[in-house]
């Protein structure tokens, strides 16, 4: 998930989008696909399959509906009132400064957790080659490399991002081609596939509770859609934003559903686990010597680029919050020696990475599930702001309001589902702690700062 396009609104005055957009709708769709696919899909989907089985396909379909509702509402608000700000501007516009403040810090917190989730995912994937190396050691190495990239201010990073977006998409296409060849018998091997579920029990091996709990991982795989919604301001024709979102989601759904469908068709429910990509698991019995290594390397490169882009983003985000008076002024201080980088902001983000490393050291068995669950919930926290802001700002007909409430219901289902599954429940309480801290901070700011202003 790239954060380069996220610019908080500070005091919610926003800046009118005066620049003429130059993006065509299909370009926005392709950018959306590249930015959305990440380690949340490559590795997080394995947890979803482990929890619910073949019904993970339906989880991703429901999440796609919720994702489109959020994107469509944000795109409409952007088209109606284009701002070089963010969805936090609309939250502030609808409900006041506390909402913009909560939205901004909620987004910062979610992306700190996303970085931790990606860092852990990279470490888990690296143990494919070095199974005896501790998780925290890999996490430390990747964190240091990411910080170095940020400090050097690599000008070619955007081009690398585009290249790695192609690599991770190509990795999925490679799996689909190989898996389809295996299913149709073009690749010979004495392998018995799990096949299509013949009963409700086979489709939902962990029952409705498992299906309910898997929703958060399906939503997490679509995380980043809100950033692409903001890019609608760069379209030549702002009214094309909903169309761009539909095409983008259609492409994502095709990629997600076909790849996951092939994975659960080829391997039995019990074969999947959170320590390995489901696509490597699905082809394991075919003993492709090259595939696990190539696929693993592609995911690691893509995941590292996403994590580093997120580190760039949260560093800039906190500085912008400070400029708007929603964070201590020290975080906006830039050092010319370091390419005008806000070092205090980077330091706080680094502390977040260190916390992930320490947690990985203390809880090596469950850390990925906990952090990913918490990150997913905080993403949905911001999606909720988008929906409720649209309900107040936009003039909607009955059908539009119904869709908005369906979106809220799907988000509530995904969040509440984390409570019924013991293995991921801790992630809910982690996210609740972040929300509580942000809430208390908003109350203090309201009484001590904003009222004085």
């Amino acid at each position: 998930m790239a954060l380069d396009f996220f610019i908080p609104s500070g005091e919610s005055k926003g800046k009118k989008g005066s620049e003429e957009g130059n993006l065509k709708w299909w370009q926005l769709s392709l950018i959306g696909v590249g930015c959305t696919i990440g380690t949340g899909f490559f590795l997080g989907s394995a947890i979803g399959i482990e929890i619910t089985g073949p019904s993970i396909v339906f989880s991703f379909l429901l999440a796609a509906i919720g994702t489109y509702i959020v994107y469509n509402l944000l795109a409409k608000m952007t088209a109606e009132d284009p701002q070089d700000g963010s969805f936090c501007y609309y939250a502030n516009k609808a409900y006041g400064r506390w909402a913009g403040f909560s939205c901004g810090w909620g987004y910062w917190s979610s992306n700190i957790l996303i970085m931790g989730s990606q860092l852990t995912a990279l470490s888990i994937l690296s143990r494919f080659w070095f199974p005896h190396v501790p998780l925290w050691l890999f996490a430390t190495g990747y964190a240091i490399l990411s910080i170095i990239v940020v400090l050097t201010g690599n000008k070619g990073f955007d081009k690398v991002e585009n290249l790695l977006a192609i690599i991770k998409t190509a990795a999925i296409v490679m799996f689909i081609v190989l898996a389809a060849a295996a299913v149709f018998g073009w690749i010979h091997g004495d392998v018995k596939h799990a096949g299509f579920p013949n009963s409700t029990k086979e489709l939902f091996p962990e029952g409705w509770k498992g299906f309910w709990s898997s929703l958060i991982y399906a939503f997490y795989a679509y995380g980043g859609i809100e950033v692409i919604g903001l890019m609608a301001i760069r379209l030549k024709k702002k009214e094309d934003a909903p169309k761009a979102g539909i095409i983008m989601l259609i492409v994502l759904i095709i990629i997600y559903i076909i790849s996951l469908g092939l994975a659960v068709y080829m391997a039995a429910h019990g074969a999947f686990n959170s320590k390995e990509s489901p696509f490597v698991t699905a082809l394991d019995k075919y003993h492709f010597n090259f595939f696990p290594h190539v696929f693993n390397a592609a995911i690691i490169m893509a995941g590292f680029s996403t994590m580093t882009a997120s580190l760039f983003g949260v560093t800039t985000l906190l500085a912008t919050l400070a400029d708007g008076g929603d964070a201590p002024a020290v975080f906006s201080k830039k050092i010319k020696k370091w390419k005008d980088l806000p070092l205090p902001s980077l330091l706080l983000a680094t502390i977040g990475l260190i916390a992930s490393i320490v947690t990985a050291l203390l809880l090596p068995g469950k850390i990925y599930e906990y952090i990913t669950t918490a990150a997913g919930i905080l993403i949905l926290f911001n999606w909720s702001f988008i929906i409720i802001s649209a309900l107040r700002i936009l003039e909607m007909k009955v059908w539009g309001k119904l869709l908005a409430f369906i979106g809220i219901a799907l988000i509530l289902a995904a969040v509440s589902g984390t409570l019924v599954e013991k293995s991921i429940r801790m992630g809910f309480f982690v996210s609740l702690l972040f929300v509580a801290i942000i809430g208390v901070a908003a109350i203090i700011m309201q009484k001590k700062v904003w009222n004085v202003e």
Side-chain angles (χ1 to χ4, degrees):
M1 178 195 302
L3 300 182
D4 306 328
F5 312 110
F6 182 87
I7 308 170
S9 54
E11 297 184 10
S12 280
K13 293 176 183 178
K15 179 182 176 184
K16 201 72 175 177
S18 56
E19 293 184 11
E20 185 67 27
N22 57 2
L23 279 181
K24 297 179 181 179
W25 66 266
W26 60 268
Q27 290 176 312
L28 180 59
S29 297
L30 291 178
I31 290 172
V33 171
C35 289
T36 304
I37 297 174
T39 53
F41 174 64
F42 283 118
L43 195 60
S45 58
I47 307 174
I49 297 173
E50 190 177 11
I51 290 173
T52 191
S55 54
I56 189 68
V57 172
F58 297 113
S59 299
F60 270 76
L61 285 172
L62 286 176
I65 295 171
T67 303
Y68 172 70
I69 291 171
V70 172
Y71 173 87
N72 189 48
L73 290 175
L74 180 57
K76 285 182 177 179
M77 286 191 289
T78 304
E80 184 178 282
D81 182 15
Q83 298 286 336
D84 291 335
S86 71
F87 45 85
C88 294
Y89 167 83
Y90 301 115
N92 199 322
K93 180 179 179 181
Y95 296 101
R97 191 164 180 181
W98 70 267
F101 175 89
S102 301
C103 188
W105 277 102
Y107 197 70
W108 183 87
S109 301
S110 70
N111 280 281
I112 286 291
L113 287 176
I114 286 169
M115 283 195 300
S117 172
Q118 291 164 347
L119 190 64
T120 308
L122 292 174
S123 305
I124 291 172
L125 292 166
S126 297
R127 291 181 78 178
F128 174 78
W129 294 300
F130 307 100
H132 303 298
V133 176
L135 205 64
W136 66 268
L137 196 57
F138 276 123
T140 302
Y142 283 120
I144 292 172
L145 284 175
S146 185
I147 292 168
I148 290 173
V149 171
V150 174
L151 286 174
T152 55
N154 191 344
K155 293 182 179 179
F157 189 73
D158 283 345
K159 293 181 179 179
V160 174
E161 285 286 303
N162 293 334
L163 175 62
L164 293 180
I166 294 171
I167 289 174
K168 61 185 175 183
T169 306
I172 299 177
V173 173
M174 178 174 65
F175 166 75
I176 292 174
V177 171
L178 289 174
V183 168
F184 288 112
W186 300 335
I187 298 176
H188 297 291
D190 188 20
V191 178
K192 185 179 180 181
H193 298 141
F196 292 109
N198 294 318
S199 64
T200 304
K201 178 63 179 175
E202 288 184 5
L203 184 60
F204 299 92
E206 302 299 329
W208 290 103
K209 186 177 79 169
F211 177 70
W212 187 8
S213 302
S214 72
L215 283 172
I216 190 68
Y217 292 100
F219 270 101
Y220 185 69
Y222 290 100
I225 199 83
E226 69 283 353
V227 179
I228 306 307
L230 297 173
M231 288 190 68
I233 197 172
R234 301 188 181 185
L235 284 169
K236 284 184 177 180
K237 297 180 179 179
K238 305 296 187 293
E239 61 272 18
D240 284 343
K243 179 170 65 175
I246 291 174
I247 300 301
M248 172 179 53
L249 277 175
I250 289 174
V251 173
L252 283 174
I253 291 169
I254 290 172
I255 291 174
Y256 285 173
I257 298 304
I258 290 178
S259 57
L260 285 174
L262 285 168
V264 296
Y265 178 88
M266 296 177 71
H269 167 54
F272 298 96
N273 65 82
S274 59
K275 304 297 184 289
E276 183 177 71
S277 172
F279 312 113
V280 173
T281 302
L283 288 174
D284 181 56
K285 292 183 179 179
Y286 281 90
H287 304 294
F288 293 124
N289 293 329
F290 69 92
F291 178 77
H293 299 282
V294 173
F295 195 82
N296 216 48
I299 300 172
I300 287 173
M301 284 190 291
F304 178 76
S305 91
T306 304
M307 184 186 77
T308 306
S310 295
L311 184 58
F312 266 119
V314 295
T315 299
T316 304
L317 168 58
L318 183 56
T320 312
L321 283 170
D323 284 335
D326 286 343
V330 66
F331 290 117
S332 65
K333 187 176 181 181
K334 296 181 180 180
I335 311 297
K336 288 186 177 180
K337 183 179 178 181
W338 292 102
K339 301 181 184 296
D340 286 328
L341 191 71
L343 283 185
S345 178
L346 176 61
L347 178 62
L348 189 60
T350 302
I351 291 172
L353 286 176
I354 293 173
S356 297
I357 295 169
V358 173
T359 311
L361 174 63
L362 299 175
L363 299 169
K366 288 293 180 182
I367 177 62
Y368 184 67
E369 288 93 327
Y370 293 163
I371 295 181
T372 304
T373 302
I377 292 173
L378 285 173
I379 287 173
L380 297 184
F381 173 76
N382 284 287
W383 285 17
S384 300
F385 266 113
I386 291 172
I387 295 177
I388 63 175
S389 298
L391 282 169
R392 175 163 288 193
I393 292 173
L394 298 176
E395 291 184 9
M396 290 190 239
K397 296 181 180 179
V398 175
W399 175 243
K401 291 181 179 179
L402 179 60
L403 278 178
F405 285 117
I406 289 173
I408 291 173
L410 287 171
I411 287 173
L412 288 175
V415 173
S416 60
T418 61
L419 285 171
V420 300
E421 174 58 44
K422 185 179 179 181
S423 64
I424 62 175
R425 191 178 299 151
M426 181 60 69
F428 172 85
F429 294 109
V430 172
S431 67
L432 195 64
L433 177 62
F434 275 92
V435 172
I437 292 172
I438 292 169
V440 170
I443 293 172
I444 293 173
M445 291 291 286
Q446 183 72 45
K447 291 183 177 180
K448 302 291 185 180
V449 180
W450 301 330
N451 284 344
V452 175
E453 293 175 357

